[in-house]
Amino acid sequence: MKRFLYDLDRYDWSRYVQEKDLPPYRAGQIASWSDRGVASLDEMTDLPQALREQLAEDFTLDGLELAEKQTSGLDDTAKYIFRLADGNIIESVRMHYKYGWSVCISSQAGCRMGCTFCASTGSGFGRSLTDGEMLAQVHAIARDCSSRIGHVTIMGIGEPLDNYAAVVRFLRRANDPRGLNISMRHLSVSTCGLVPKMIEFTDEGLPVTLSVSLHAPNDTIRRQLMPIARQYPYDSLLAACRRHTEKTGRRITFEYALFNGVNDQLEHADELAGRLRGMLCHVNLIPANEFSGGAYRQSRSPDVQRFLSRLTRSGIKATVRRELGADIMAACGQLRRRKEACRTP
Ligand code: SAH
């Protein structure tokens, strides 16, 4: 199968031109097209026809195709459904904030983590995405809205730290001034808490925002919601978070989805405040999003408010996350993977 052109970074391109006995400056030219999100080889007008033909033999630009776009009637949110070359279907979300466009991308087709409240788990695991497929989601959306994308969160389908190497490559490439040029501070990674990978990620020294899906004040509730909690207990997770803030000086965002009657009572807020006291962190409360077949119900709005004020009165910085794109199933935890019959190449 031909390689997806976006999967090669600048280093890979210099190796390619060397192998093909081409002048070294060709590598920079091809990489610049790729960095800018070229949609067709014909756009590469500064390359000779023979080289474009050579590229067409070795590479494809059909690694990510827009299958469908849904636009919210409530806000400026749009959900993009993309088909990968092997028929896997993934979803990405574009949101509009005061500070500009933000895109939430998928890092895997499906997810292996098995969180009991998340729609991404239901359809099984296909495979991890390449860095090129992650970049392509951002380029396709930028092209569609004819705007620069200023923020990217890796919070769509999949567990980014379960696709570690490609995610790190993606972050470096998305940050490259010759490419998407997104500041590291505007890139965020969300993890369900793969402790050893979090430690490795801290040592990578990338000043991106790290979000940790906590969703519980203790091991008992966390294990009920997230199988990963059986492997990495609460204390080891918080120790990895503390290590991250100490080494990077950057605060951690804790995601806490509120499920009616499960983790949204005052006693839970008190216990959570006790665990997080003194940490450099912010708690993002997410009224749980429902989806068909999901077992949990969203917390009632007065419970959400009581939980929030109890946390803040205990000195923990917290906010309730605005729900965007709920009418098109584009909110947190509502994205799914699907699989189509493989297309013949
Ligand atoms: N695997 C990563 C990133 C993907 S999920 C992670 O676990 O962090 C993005 C966020 O949506 C996570 O915080 C996840 O726990 C949350 N989420 C999943 N299902 C949800 C639901 N039904 N309601 C609210 N948030 C949900």
Side-chain angles (χ1 to χ4, degrees):
M1 204 158 113
K2 290 182 190 177
R3 285 189 76 184
F4 186 28
L5 187 120
Y6 286 8
D7 282 340
L8 284 78
D9 68 7
R10 283 182 179 260
Y11 175 73
D12 300 327
W13 283 119
S14 34
R15 288 210 348 217
Y16 176 81
V17 301
Q18 225 172 355
E19 273 164 28
K20 300 284 172 194
D21 256 339
L22 295 161
Y25 69 90
R26 293 290 183 210
Q29 284 179 312
I30 306 169
S32 299
W33 285 110
S34 169
D35 283 346
R36 273 179 269 153
V38 68
S40 129
L41 291 172
D42 298 333
E43 287 176 35
M44 300 180 162
T45 43
D46 56 359
L47 301 184
Q49 185 61 27
L51 176 52
R52 274 189 262 165
E53 279 165 19
Q54 172 84 63
L55 290 174
E57 263 173 48
D58 296 338
F59 303 99
T60 172
L61 271 164
D62 295 336
L64 184 101
E65 247 180 6
L66 182 62
E68 198 184 326
K69 177 183 167 189
Q70 296 169 0
T71 311
S72 168
L74 304 172
D75 44 61
D76 269 331
T77 305
K79 180 161 87 174
Y80 293 79
I81 303 172
F82 293 111
R83 188 182 301 108
L84 305 178
D86 63 359
N88 270 298
I89 306 258
I90 54 147
E91 303 185 336
S92 326
V93 180
R94 184 203 73 196
M95 292 156 287
H96 195 256
Y97 290 102
K98 286 195 294 286
Y99 49 73
W101 294 105
S102 177
V103 168
C104 175
I105 62 164
S106 292
S107 56
Q108 297 180 312
C111 188
R112 291 199 270 221
M113 298 299 120
C115 298
T116 55
F117 50 82
C118 181
S120 302
T121 277
S123 32
F125 181 74
R127 65 172 172 89
S128 284
L129 303 196
T130 61
D131 47 313
E133 288 167 331
M134 289 184 258
L135 287 165
Q137 294 171 58
V138 185
H139 285 306
I141 293 175
R143 217 179 299 129
D144 182 65
C145 62
S146 312
S147 306
R148 180 177 181 270
I149 304 299
H151 291 68
V152 173
T153 56
I154 313 184
M155 288 192 190
I157 304 167
E159 166 51 45
L161 297 189
D162 185 38
N163 183 16
Y164 189 90
V167 163
V168 168
R169 246 173 90 98
F170 166 83
L171 294 170
R172 293 192 204 283
R173 292 182 66 191
N175 174 243
D176 190 325
R178 295 164 294 189
L180 287 165
N181 191 21
I182 303 175
S183 136
M184 282 281 180
R185 276 156 214 279
H186 296 169
L187 293 167
S188 38
V189 175
S190 180
T191 180
C192 64
L194 296 179
V195 170
K197 291 290 175 196
M198 286 171 66
I199 292 170
E200 202 178 331
F201 191 69
T202 299
D203 293 339
E204 218 64 66
L206 303 172
V208 302
T209 303
L210 183 63
S211 296
V212 174
S213 300
L214 199 54
H215 304 324
N218 57 46
D219 267 324
T220 315
I221 298 179
R222 198 156 191 274
R223 282 193 198 125
Q224 215 179 301
L225 298 169
M226 308 173 75
I228 196 72
R230 290 179 216 143
Q231 219 167 322
Y232 305 113
Y234 213 89
D235 285 341
S236 69
L237 175 59
L238 290 192
C241 293
R242 276 196 202 91
R243 182 178 180 275
H244 185 80
T245 57
E246 278 156 21
K247 290 219 163 187
T248 63
R250 299 185 51 79
R251 73 176 193 186
I252 295 242
T253 302
F254 287 115
E255 314 286 349
Y256 194 106
L258 290 158
F259 303 104
N260 190 357
V262 177
N263 64 354
D264 63 349
Q265 299 303 301
L266 287 181
E267 76 219 47
H268 302 132
D270 290 340
E271 195 177 1
L272 181 66
R275 299 304 277 266
L276 302 187
R277 193 155 293 133
M279 277 183 83
L280 186 59
C281 68
H282 183 94
V283 178
N284 236 326
L285 296 173
I286 316 165
N289 296 304
E290 299 181 5
F291 54 91
S292 67
Y296 299 96
R297 292 287 152 258
Q298 187 169 72
S299 292
R300 295 176 318 122
S301 159
D303 287 338
V304 174
Q305 289 313 317
R306 275 195 322 158
F307 199 96
L308 172 68
S309 57
R310 191 71 158 231
L311 273 188
T312 39
R313 256 186 279 139
S314 312
I316 305 291
K317 292 198 174 65
T319 40
V320 176
R321 181 183 282 172
R322 206 154 51 102
E323 191 182 50
L324 294 173
D327 57 331
I328 50 168
M329 297 298 283
C332 295
Q334 293 185 318
L335 304 185
R336 294 176 186 267
R337 159 200 181 235
R338 267 160 286 155
K339 175 118 177 89
E340 275 198 348
C342 272
R343 288 173 311 148
T344 38

PDB file of all heavy atoms in Angstrom, residues 195 198 212 214 216-217 232-245 252 254 272 274-277 279:
ATOM      1  N   VAL A 195      -0.003   5.737  33.800  1.00  0.00           N
ATOM      2  CA  VAL A 195       1.033   6.348  34.635  1.00  0.00           C
ATOM      3  C   VAL A 195       2.452   6.272  34.039  1.00  0.00           C
ATOM      4  O   VAL A 195       3.132   7.295  33.943  1.00  0.00           O
ATOM      5  CB  VAL A 195       0.953   5.796  36.077  1.00  0.00           C
ATOM      6  CG1 VAL A 195       2.154   6.219  36.896  1.00  0.00           C
ATOM      7  CG2 VAL A 195      -0.336   6.281  36.732  1.00  0.00           C
ATOM      8  N   MET A 198       2.755   8.676  31.306  1.00  0.00           N
ATOM      9  CA  MET A 198       2.702  10.071  31.779  1.00  0.00           C
ATOM     10  C   MET A 198       4.092  10.504  32.240  1.00  0.00           C
ATOM     11  O   MET A 198       4.520  11.632  31.998  1.00  0.00           O
ATOM     12  CB  MET A 198       1.709  10.204  32.939  1.00  0.00           C
ATOM     13  CG  MET A 198       0.255  10.131  32.489  1.00  0.00           C
ATOM     14  SD  MET A 198      -0.874  10.039  33.894  1.00  0.00           S
ATOM     15  CE  MET A 198      -0.612  11.639  34.641  1.00  0.00           C
ATOM     16  N   VAL A 212      -5.975  15.265  32.669  1.00  0.00           N
ATOM     17  CA  VAL A 212      -6.092  13.910  33.182  1.00  0.00           C
ATOM     18  C   VAL A 212      -7.562  13.649  33.515  1.00  0.00           C
ATOM     19  O   VAL A 212      -8.192  14.416  34.245  1.00  0.00           O
ATOM     20  CB  VAL A 212      -5.206  13.719  34.436  1.00  0.00           C
ATOM     21  CG1 VAL A 212      -5.432  12.353  35.054  1.00  0.00           C
ATOM     22  CG2 VAL A 212      -3.729  13.895  34.064  1.00  0.00           C
ATOM     23  N   LEU A 214     -10.079  12.216  35.540  1.00  0.00           N
ATOM     24  CA  LEU A 214     -10.062  11.683  36.899  1.00  0.00           C
ATOM     25  C   LEU A 214     -11.417  11.052  37.225  1.00  0.00           C
ATOM     26  O   LEU A 214     -11.506   9.886  37.598  1.00  0.00           O
ATOM     27  CB  LEU A 214      -9.726  12.833  37.860  1.00  0.00           C
ATOM     28  CG  LEU A 214      -9.216  12.482  39.232  1.00  0.00           C
ATOM     29  CD1 LEU A 214      -8.002  11.568  39.173  1.00  0.00           C
ATOM     30  CD2 LEU A 214      -8.853  13.756  40.015  1.00  0.00           C
ATOM     31  N   ALA A 216     -13.376  10.723  39.543  1.00  0.00           N
ATOM     32  CA  ALA A 216     -13.748  10.086  40.811  1.00  0.00           C
ATOM     33  C   ALA A 216     -12.865  10.639  41.923  1.00  0.00           C
ATOM     34  O   ALA A 216     -11.752  11.100  41.670  1.00  0.00           O
ATOM     35  CB  ALA A 216     -13.563   8.570  40.708  1.00  0.00           C
ATOM     36  N   PRO A 217     -13.365  10.573  43.178  1.00  0.00           N
ATOM     37  CA  PRO A 217     -12.557  11.060  44.293  1.00  0.00           C
ATOM     38  C   PRO A 217     -11.755   9.945  44.954  1.00  0.00           C
ATOM     39  O   PRO A 217     -10.966  10.206  45.865  1.00  0.00           O
ATOM     40  CB  PRO A 217     -13.614  11.595  45.259  1.00  0.00           C
ATOM     41  CG  PRO A 217     -14.826  10.742  44.996  1.00  0.00           C
ATOM     42  CD  PRO A 217     -14.752  10.263  43.577  1.00  0.00           C
ATOM     43  N   TYR A 232      -3.451   1.214  37.661  1.00  0.00           N
ATOM     44  CA  TYR A 232      -2.695   2.328  38.253  1.00  0.00           C
ATOM     45  C   TYR A 232      -3.554   3.016  39.299  1.00  0.00           C
ATOM     46  O   TYR A 232      -4.419   3.822  38.965  1.00  0.00           O
ATOM     47  CB  TYR A 232      -2.276   3.336  37.171  1.00  0.00           C
ATOM     48  CG  TYR A 232      -1.508   2.683  36.054  1.00  0.00           C
ATOM     49  CD1 TYR A 232      -2.046   2.595  34.782  1.00  0.00           C
ATOM     50  CD2 TYR A 232      -0.256   2.116  36.293  1.00  0.00           C
ATOM     51  CE1 TYR A 232      -1.356   1.970  33.758  1.00  0.00           C
ATOM     52  CE2 TYR A 232       0.439   1.483  35.271  1.00  0.00           C
ATOM     53  CZ  TYR A 232      -0.119   1.413  34.007  1.00  0.00           C
ATOM     54  OH  TYR A 232       0.560   0.785  33.001  1.00  0.00           O
ATOM     55  N   PRO A 233      -3.324   2.709  40.565  1.00  0.00           N
ATOM     56  CA  PRO A 233      -4.160   3.275  41.621  1.00  0.00           C
ATOM     57  C   PRO A 233      -4.064   4.800  41.718  1.00  0.00           C
ATOM     58  O   PRO A 233      -3.106   5.406  41.218  1.00  0.00           O
ATOM     59  CB  PRO A 233      -3.614   2.618  42.894  1.00  0.00           C
ATOM     60  CG  PRO A 233      -2.696   1.539  42.457  1.00  0.00           C
ATOM     61  CD  PRO A 233      -2.310   1.798  41.047  1.00  0.00           C
ATOM     62  N   TYR A 234      -5.065   5.343  42.356  1.00  0.00           N
ATOM     63  CA  TYR A 234      -5.234   6.789  42.503  1.00  0.00           C
ATOM     64  C   TYR A 234      -3.948   7.484  42.975  1.00  0.00           C
ATOM     65  O   TYR A 234      -3.533   8.486  42.417  1.00  0.00           O
ATOM     66  CB  TYR A 234      -6.340   7.017  43.536  1.00  0.00           C
ATOM     67  CG  TYR A 234      -7.170   8.245  43.288  1.00  0.00           C
ATOM     68  CD1 TYR A 234      -8.303   8.189  42.488  1.00  0.00           C
ATOM     69  CD2 TYR A 234      -6.833   9.456  43.875  1.00  0.00           C
ATOM     70  CE1 TYR A 234      -9.084   9.312  42.276  1.00  0.00           C
ATOM     71  CE2 TYR A 234      -7.597  10.587  43.671  1.00  0.00           C
ATOM     72  CZ  TYR A 234      -8.725  10.514  42.867  1.00  0.00           C
ATOM     73  OH  TYR A 234      -9.486  11.628  42.654  1.00  0.00           O
ATOM     74  N   ASP A 235      -3.339   6.913  44.022  1.00  0.00           N
ATOM     75  CA  ASP A 235      -2.148   7.567  44.582  1.00  0.00           C
ATOM     76  C   ASP A 235      -1.011   7.638  43.570  1.00  0.00           C
ATOM     77  O   ASP A 235      -0.298   8.633  43.493  1.00  0.00           O
ATOM     78  CB  ASP A 235      -1.660   6.812  45.835  1.00  0.00           C
ATOM     79  CG  ASP A 235      -2.574   7.110  47.010  1.00  0.00           C
ATOM     80  OD1 ASP A 235      -3.308   8.123  46.944  1.00  0.00           O
ATOM     81  OD2 ASP A 235      -2.570   6.322  47.980  1.00  0.00           O
ATOM     82  N   SER A 236      -0.836   6.545  42.792  1.00  0.00           N
ATOM     83  CA  SER A 236       0.261   6.556  41.822  1.00  0.00           C
ATOM     84  C   SER A 236      -0.058   7.556  40.706  1.00  0.00           C
ATOM     85  O   SER A 236       0.849   8.211  40.171  1.00  0.00           O
ATOM     86  CB  SER A 236       0.517   5.159  41.261  1.00  0.00           C
ATOM     87  OG  SER A 236      -0.550   4.759  40.448  1.00  0.00           O
ATOM     88  N   LEU A 237      -1.334   7.689  40.387  1.00  0.00           N
ATOM     89  CA  LEU A 237      -1.727   8.653  39.356  1.00  0.00           C
ATOM     90  C   LEU A 237      -1.445  10.084  39.832  1.00  0.00           C
ATOM     91  O   LEU A 237      -0.833  10.888  39.118  1.00  0.00           O
ATOM     92  CB  LEU A 237      -3.219   8.480  39.023  1.00  0.00           C
ATOM     93  CG  LEU A 237      -3.811   9.482  38.043  1.00  0.00           C
ATOM     94  CD1 LEU A 237      -3.093   9.442  36.698  1.00  0.00           C
ATOM     95  CD2 LEU A 237      -5.309   9.224  37.831  1.00  0.00           C
ATOM     96  N   LEU A 238      -1.860  10.381  41.054  1.00  0.00           N
ATOM     97  CA  LEU A 238      -1.622  11.738  41.563  1.00  0.00           C
ATOM     98  C   LEU A 238      -0.129  12.015  41.732  1.00  0.00           C
ATOM     99  O   LEU A 238       0.322  13.142  41.525  1.00  0.00           O
ATOM    100  CB  LEU A 238      -2.376  11.985  42.872  1.00  0.00           C
ATOM    101  CG  LEU A 238      -3.898  12.085  42.756  1.00  0.00           C
ATOM    102  CD1 LEU A 238      -4.499  12.623  44.049  1.00  0.00           C
ATOM    103  CD2 LEU A 238      -4.340  12.960  41.581  1.00  0.00           C
ATOM    104  N   ALA A 239       0.642  10.989  42.064  1.00  0.00           N
ATOM    105  CA  ALA A 239       2.095  11.182  42.195  1.00  0.00           C
ATOM    106  C   ALA A 239       2.679  11.557  40.825  1.00  0.00           C
ATOM    107  O   ALA A 239       3.526  12.451  40.723  1.00  0.00           O
ATOM    108  CB  ALA A 239       2.754   9.918  42.741  1.00  0.00           C
ATOM    109  N   ALA A 240       2.207  10.893  39.765  1.00  0.00           N
ATOM    110  CA  ALA A 240       2.698  11.223  38.416  1.00  0.00           C
ATOM    111  C   ALA A 240       2.282  12.645  38.036  1.00  0.00           C
ATOM    112  O   ALA A 240       3.028  13.362  37.362  1.00  0.00           O
ATOM    113  CB  ALA A 240       2.156  10.221  37.400  1.00  0.00           C
ATOM    114  N   CYS A 241       1.093  13.049  38.485  1.00  0.00           N
ATOM    115  CA  CYS A 241       0.616  14.418  38.188  1.00  0.00           C
ATOM    116  C   CYS A 241       1.477  15.441  38.922  1.00  0.00           C
ATOM    117  O   CYS A 241       1.865  16.465  38.358  1.00  0.00           O
ATOM    118  CB  CYS A 241      -0.844  14.586  38.607  1.00  0.00           C
ATOM    119  SG  CYS A 241      -1.968  13.585  37.621  1.00  0.00           S
ATOM    120  N   ARG A 242       1.768  15.161  40.194  1.00  0.00           N
ATOM    121  CA  ARG A 242       2.616  16.092  40.963  1.00  0.00           C
ATOM    122  C   ARG A 242       3.986  16.215  40.332  1.00  0.00           C
ATOM    123  O   ARG A 242       4.538  17.299  40.201  1.00  0.00           O
ATOM    124  CB  ARG A 242       2.766  15.602  42.412  1.00  0.00           C
ATOM    125  CG  ARG A 242       1.612  16.043  43.248  1.00  0.00           C
ATOM    126  CD  ARG A 242       1.877  15.937  44.738  1.00  0.00           C
ATOM    127  NE  ARG A 242       0.582  15.875  45.363  1.00  0.00           N
ATOM    128  CZ  ARG A 242      -0.067  14.753  45.633  1.00  0.00           C
ATOM    129  NH1 ARG A 242       0.501  13.582  45.404  1.00  0.00           N
ATOM    130  NH2 ARG A 242      -1.264  14.796  46.148  1.00  0.00           N
ATOM    131  N   ARG A 243       4.538  15.076  39.924  1.00  0.00           N
ATOM    132  CA  ARG A 243       5.845  15.074  39.272  1.00  0.00           C
ATOM    133  C   ARG A 243       5.795  15.956  38.016  1.00  0.00           C
ATOM    134  O   ARG A 243       6.713  16.717  37.734  1.00  0.00           O
ATOM    135  CB  ARG A 243       6.208  13.628  38.919  1.00  0.00           C
ATOM    136  CG  ARG A 243       7.554  13.457  38.276  1.00  0.00           C
ATOM    137  CD  ARG A 243       7.833  11.981  38.019  1.00  0.00           C
ATOM    138  NE  ARG A 243       9.130  11.806  37.393  1.00  0.00           N
ATOM    139  CZ  ARG A 243       9.337  11.905  36.092  1.00  0.00           C
ATOM    140  NH1 ARG A 243       8.339  12.165  35.277  1.00  0.00           N
ATOM    141  NH2 ARG A 243      10.557  11.747  35.599  1.00  0.00           N
ATOM    142  N   HIS A 244       4.692  15.856  37.278  1.00  0.00           N
ATOM    143  CA  HIS A 244       4.546  16.648  36.052  1.00  0.00           C
ATOM    144  C   HIS A 244       4.545  18.147  36.358  1.00  0.00           C
ATOM    145  O   HIS A 244       5.249  18.920  35.710  1.00  0.00           O
ATOM    146  CB  HIS A 244       3.256  16.267  35.322  1.00  0.00           C
ATOM    147  CG  HIS A 244       3.097  16.953  34.002  1.00  0.00           C
ATOM    148  ND1 HIS A 244       3.738  16.537  32.858  1.00  0.00           N
ATOM    149  CD2 HIS A 244       2.405  18.072  33.650  1.00  0.00           C
ATOM    150  CE1 HIS A 244       3.433  17.354  31.858  1.00  0.00           C
ATOM    151  NE2 HIS A 244       2.624  18.294  32.320  1.00  0.00           N
ATOM    152  N   THR A 245       3.768  18.545  37.358  1.00  0.00           N
ATOM    153  CA  THR A 245       3.702  19.987  37.655  1.00  0.00           C
ATOM    154  C   THR A 245       5.045  20.473  38.198  1.00  0.00           C
ATOM    155  O   THR A 245       5.470  21.573  37.885  1.00  0.00           O
ATOM    156  CB  THR A 245       2.579  20.316  38.661  1.00  0.00           C
ATOM    157  OG1 THR A 245       2.802  19.556  39.845  1.00  0.00           O
ATOM    158  CG2 THR A 245       1.214  19.994  38.123  1.00  0.00           C
ATOM    159  N   ILE A 252      -1.936  21.068  35.907  1.00  0.00           N
ATOM    160  CA  ILE A 252      -2.647  19.952  35.272  1.00  0.00           C
ATOM    161  C   ILE A 252      -4.133  20.306  35.254  1.00  0.00           C
ATOM    162  O   ILE A 252      -4.636  20.931  36.185  1.00  0.00           O
ATOM    163  CB  ILE A 252      -2.483  18.668  36.123  1.00  0.00           C
ATOM    164  CG1 ILE A 252      -1.017  18.236  36.135  1.00  0.00           C
ATOM    165  CG2 ILE A 252      -3.432  17.569  35.711  1.00  0.00           C
ATOM    166  CD1 ILE A 252      -0.747  16.882  35.533  1.00  0.00           C
ATOM    167  N   PHE A 254      -7.688  18.614  35.531  1.00  0.00           N
ATOM    168  CA  PHE A 254      -8.389  17.359  35.819  1.00  0.00           C
ATOM    169  C   PHE A 254      -9.790  17.428  35.228  1.00  0.00           C
ATOM    170  O   PHE A 254     -10.529  18.381  35.480  1.00  0.00           O
ATOM    171  CB  PHE A 254      -8.488  17.129  37.331  1.00  0.00           C
ATOM    172  CG  PHE A 254      -7.176  16.734  37.949  1.00  0.00           C
ATOM    173  CD1 PHE A 254      -6.537  17.568  38.865  1.00  0.00           C
ATOM    174  CD2 PHE A 254      -6.572  15.534  37.609  1.00  0.00           C
ATOM    175  CE1 PHE A 254      -5.319  17.206  39.425  1.00  0.00           C
ATOM    176  CE2 PHE A 254      -5.343  15.157  38.171  1.00  0.00           C
ATOM    177  CZ  PHE A 254      -4.722  15.996  39.080  1.00  0.00           C
ATOM    178  N   LEU A 272     -12.607  14.757  47.048  1.00  0.00           N
ATOM    179  CA  LEU A 272     -11.778  15.206  45.924  1.00  0.00           C
ATOM    180  C   LEU A 272     -10.914  16.393  46.340  1.00  0.00           C
ATOM    181  O   LEU A 272      -9.702  16.428  46.068  1.00  0.00           O
ATOM    182  CB  LEU A 272     -12.687  15.592  44.746  1.00  0.00           C
ATOM    183  CG  LEU A 272     -11.971  16.055  43.478  1.00  0.00           C
ATOM    184  CD1 LEU A 272     -11.172  14.913  42.852  1.00  0.00           C
ATOM    185  CD2 LEU A 272     -12.972  16.589  42.443  1.00  0.00           C
ATOM    186  N   GLY A 274      -9.871  17.126  49.227  1.00  0.00           N
ATOM    187  CA  GLY A 274      -8.816  16.628  50.118  1.00  0.00           C
ATOM    188  C   GLY A 274      -7.661  16.033  49.340  1.00  0.00           C
ATOM    189  O   GLY A 274      -6.491  16.250  49.670  1.00  0.00           O
ATOM    190  N   ARG A 275      -7.990  15.297  48.266  1.00  0.00           N
ATOM    191  CA  ARG A 275      -6.935  14.653  47.475  1.00  0.00           C
ATOM    192  C   ARG A 275      -6.113  15.668  46.684  1.00  0.00           C
ATOM    193  O   ARG A 275      -4.926  15.479  46.467  1.00  0.00           O
ATOM    194  CB  ARG A 275      -7.538  13.653  46.461  1.00  0.00           C
ATOM    195  CG  ARG A 275      -8.327  12.498  47.021  1.00  0.00           C
ATOM    196  CD  ARG A 275      -7.582  11.646  48.002  1.00  0.00           C
ATOM    197  NE  ARG A 275      -6.719  10.605  47.490  1.00  0.00           N
ATOM    198  CZ  ARG A 275      -7.077   9.328  47.311  1.00  0.00           C
ATOM    199  NH1 ARG A 275      -8.309   8.948  47.521  1.00  0.00           N
ATOM    200  NH2 ARG A 275      -6.196   8.447  46.917  1.00  0.00           N
ATOM    201  N   LEU A 276      -6.780  16.733  46.205  1.00  0.00           N
ATOM    202  CA  LEU A 276      -6.095  17.665  45.291  1.00  0.00           C
ATOM    203  C   LEU A 276      -5.497  18.876  45.996  1.00  0.00           C
ATOM    204  O   LEU A 276      -4.797  19.679  45.361  1.00  0.00           O
ATOM    205  CB  LEU A 276      -7.071  18.150  44.205  1.00  0.00           C
ATOM    206  CG  LEU A 276      -7.731  17.074  43.343  1.00  0.00           C
ATOM    207  CD1 LEU A 276      -8.535  17.707  42.217  1.00  0.00           C
ATOM    208  CD2 LEU A 276      -6.704  16.099  42.760  1.00  0.00           C
ATOM    209  N   ARG A 277      -5.761  19.000  47.290  1.00  0.00           N
ATOM    210  CA  ARG A 277      -5.280  20.183  48.016  1.00  0.00           C
ATOM    211  C   ARG A 277      -3.770  20.376  47.816  1.00  0.00           C
ATOM    212  O   ARG A 277      -3.004  19.421  47.896  1.00  0.00           O
ATOM    213  CB  ARG A 277      -5.612  20.048  49.503  1.00  0.00           C
ATOM    214  CG  ARG A 277      -5.423  21.348  50.266  1.00  0.00           C
ATOM    215  CD  ARG A 277      -6.286  21.394  51.515  1.00  0.00           C
ATOM    216  NE  ARG A 277      -7.718  21.441  51.201  1.00  0.00           N
ATOM    217  CZ  ARG A 277      -8.638  20.675  51.784  1.00  0.00           C
ATOM    218  NH1 ARG A 277      -8.301  19.787  52.684  1.00  0.00           N
ATOM    219  NH2 ARG A 277      -9.911  20.804  51.446  1.00  0.00           N
ATOM    220  N   MET A 279      -2.193  21.045  45.124  1.00  0.00           N
ATOM    221  CA  MET A 279      -1.661  20.737  43.786  1.00  0.00           C
ATOM    222  C   MET A 279      -1.874  21.903  42.838  1.00  0.00           C
ATOM    223  O   MET A 279      -2.872  22.625  42.950  1.00  0.00           O
ATOM    224  CB  MET A 279      -2.373  19.508  43.203  1.00  0.00           C
ATOM    225  CG  MET A 279      -1.796  18.216  43.687  1.00  0.00           C
ATOM    226  SD  MET A 279      -2.622  16.820  42.911  1.00  0.00           S
ATOM    227  CE  MET A 279      -1.733  16.732  41.365  1.00  0.00           C
TER     228      MET A 279
END
